[in-house]
Amino acid sequence: MRDSTGTLTILHQINFELAPRESVAIVGASGSGKSTLLSIIAGLDTPTTGTVHLAGVDLFALDEDGRAGLRADKLGFVFQSFQLLGNLTALENVMLALELQGRSDARARATEMLTRVGLRERLGHYPKVLSGGEQQRVALARAFVVRPAVLLADEPTGSLDFATGETVMELMFELNREIGTTLVLVTHDPGIASRCDRQLRIEAGRLELDAARL
């Protein structure tokens, strides 16, 4: 990667594959490159060398508009800070993901998904009046409603207390099984990581081969 000071070497020769419906935890110390790896998988950051293939498509052979279109069609995102739009209601936040796909049934599908995550009575509420756990459930609904091929989650319980985080993670794994998404999860929590099918451990920008089980 490059910034104003020149080339930044954050990751070194990372190479792995993800299987359909697989759940994978990316673990490692702070600053090891976990979130950078997630951003590269999504095509949000561009690596100096190498590439990412998503659904058979080379992400970095596309221009930014092409990558954005592929993300909208194939990827879902869940962030630690929720990333909800404050001027939209819970329903509108979830509908937006579908409207970007041109879906005519956005309202019905968004309502169904919010009901699935236990927020049927919160459809018209704005993020500022929702608890942290409720906001993250809206974020889960927004991510899963498009039935993405891959869901990328970056420390999804980092802003939540333990009990709320446990509830959110249980819901995430339930939705992942129901929809059949490939889940890639960055986490510091060994308990969450152990629930995934496998773990990729990043140390100083390098992938530990024994953890990756290539």
Side-chain angles (χ1 to χ4, degrees), residues 60-105:
F60 300 109
L62 304 173
D63 61 18
E64 181 51 45
D65 287 342
R67 289 197 295 273
L70 191 61
R71 280 194 295 269
D73 188 46
K74 299 295 184 182
L75 291 179
F77 298 90
V78 178
F79 302 95
Q80 176 178 337
S81 56
F82 318 134
Q83 296 291 328
L84 301 178
L85 296 177
N87 62 328
L88 300 182
T89 65
L91 179 61
E92 290 166 342
N93 266 281
V94 179
M95 285 176 61
L96 182 61
L98 294 163
E99 290 169 341
L100 290 173
Q101 291 186 335
R103 299 292 304 238
S104 60
D105 57 349

Side-chain angles (χ1 to χ4, degrees), residues 23 40 53 65 79 82 86 101 107 109 112 140 147-148 151 156 166 174-175 178 184 191 194-197 202 209:
S23 59
I40 289 174
H53 286 86
D65 287 342
F79 302 95
F82 318 134
Q101 291 186 335
R107 178 173 293 273
R109 290 187 60 183
E112 180 182 8
L140 285 179
R147 306 185 73 85
L151 178 70
E166 286 287 294
E174 286 178 6
L175 289 170
E178 290 172 14
V184 184
S194 68
R195 298 181 62 178
C196 294
D197 296 326
I202 306 295
L209 296 181

Side-chain angles (χ1 to χ4, degrees), residues 30-163:
S30 295
S32 60
K34 302 185 303 299
S35 293
T36 297
L37 177 56
L38 208 67
S39 292
I40 289 174
I41 292 172
L44 296 171
D45 287 336
T46 303
T48 307
T49 61
T51 192
V52 173
H53 286 86
L54 175 62
V57 178
D58 181 345
L59 271 179
F60 300 109
L62 304 173
D63 61 18
E64 181 51 45
D65 287 342
R67 289 197 295 273
L70 191 61
R71 280 194 295 269
D73 188 46
K74 299 295 184 182
L75 291 179
F77 298 90
V78 178
F79 302 95
Q80 176 178 337
S81 56
F82 318 134
Q83 296 291 328
L84 301 178
L85 296 177
N87 62 328
L88 300 182
T89 65
L91 179 61
E92 290 166 342
N93 266 281
V94 179
M95 285 176 61
L96 182 61
L98 294 163
E99 290 169 341
L100 290 173
Q101 291 186 335
R103 299 292 304 238
S104 60
D105 57 349
R107 178 173 293 273
R109 290 187 60 183
T111 299
E112 180 182 8
M113 183 56 74
L114 283 165
T115 300
R116 170 64 185 83
V117 302
L119 294 177
R120 181 66 180 85
E121 305 305 317
R122 297 287 189 269
L123 301 183
H125 287 63
Y126 290 91
K128 66 181 180 181
V129 299
L130 298 175
S131 69
E134 288 172 334
Q135 289 185 63
Q136 196 60 298
R137 281 189 277 162
V138 175
L140 285 179
R142 179 184 59 189
F144 279 108
V145 75
V146 297
R147 306 185 73 85
V150 180
L151 178 70
L152 305 177
D154 193 358
E155 296 285 0
T157 62
S159 297
L160 306 176
D161 62 71
F162 177 78

Side-chain angles (χ1 to χ4, degrees), residues 2-37:
R2 298 187 62 84
D3 70 0
S4 59
T5 65
T7 299
L8 296 174
T9 303
I10 299 173
L11 300 173
H12 308 261
Q13 298 182 356
I14 304 290
N15 183 26
F16 62 92
E17 295 183 1
L18 300 170
R21 298 176 176 266
E22 183 179 27
S23 59
V24 176
I26 300 176
V27 299
S30 295
S32 60
K34 302 185 303 299
S35 293
T36 297
L37 177 56

